[in-house]
Amino acid sequence: SALNGNLAAVDRKSDVRLSAKRGDVWLNKVQGAGDVFARRGKVLVVDHRGDLKVEVGAGDIQAKLAAFGPNGVDLHCEAGPVRCTLPEAADCVVDGLTLIVRSIRPEGLWPEVKVTKDGYSSSMRGTIGAGGPPVRIRGGSSNISISPPVRR
């Protein structure tokens, strides 16, 4: 934990819990449950294997997943974008919601994920592949998106 400043966990094979009042948080190649809170700042997650929970007040979340844990992914940002890159084997249940209409982008990638707009909110819901762990993304005034891994 840190009141102000940046935090990082790199190449860990254990559960990680990080909390920052002001500052950026970076998880790189963590194998285990990740639990991150940042009141103000950016959270960058790269090649994560395991359950993941990230909550940000004002900032942004970028998560690139290598493999899901049994409890899936929960990303929540009150003000700022949330971008989630799914792992190669992306069998999951998608549940995304923004409270103030912003863009939601899985469109065209997975026809089984439906995007709806209702008044001030937007949502995306659907099952990709055979289903599996939940990928839950919540945003207040946020753009949210899911995408497949970049093929090299």
Side-chain angles (χ1 to χ4, degrees):
S1 290
L3 291 177
N4 297 303
N6 300 328
L7 298 170
V10 180
D11 291 322
R12 299 279 306 260
K13 291 184 180 179
S14 64
D15 295 348
V16 173
R17 185 175 190 171
L18 298 173
S19 177
K21 213 171 195 183
R22 288 189 185 107
D24 298 340
V25 179
W26 181 38
L27 298 183
N28 187 12
K29 297 180 182 174
V30 170
Q31 296 181 39
D35 188 351
V36 177
F37 173 80
R39 184 172 314 280
R40 290 177 163 239
K42 298 175 183 177
V43 175
L44 176 61
V45 179
V46 179
D47 292 335
H48 186 81
R49 295 178 177 279
D51 296 332
L52 180 63
K53 179 180 179 187
V54 177
E55 184 177 346
V56 174
D60 67 71
I61 300 170
Q62 294 181 47
K64 180 182 172 220
L65 308 172
F68 294 121
N71 296 314
V73 177
D74 190 351
L75 308 175
H76 182 171
C77 187
E78 283 300 319
V82 180
R83 291 175 293 283
C84 181
T85 302
L86 300 179
E88 197 70 42
D91 293 341
C92 61
V93 176
V94 175
D95 179 9
L97 175 70
T98 62
L99 299 178
I100 298 174
V101 174
R102 305 293 274 202
S103 65
I104 292 184
R105 292 188 202 104
E107 300 171 74
L109 297 174
W110 295 283
E112 58 269 41
V113 177
K114 303 295 181 209
V115 174
T116 58
K117 294 182 180 178
D118 179 26
Y120 292 107
S121 64
S122 295
S123 65
M124 64 175 158
R125 292 193 169 83
T127 300
I128 296 175
V135 175
R136 186 172 180 263
I137 303 174
R138 294 289 182 267
S141 175
S142 303
N143 295 321
I144 64 176
S145 67
I146 58 172
S147 60
V150 175
R151 303 215 186 252
R152 296 176 188 222

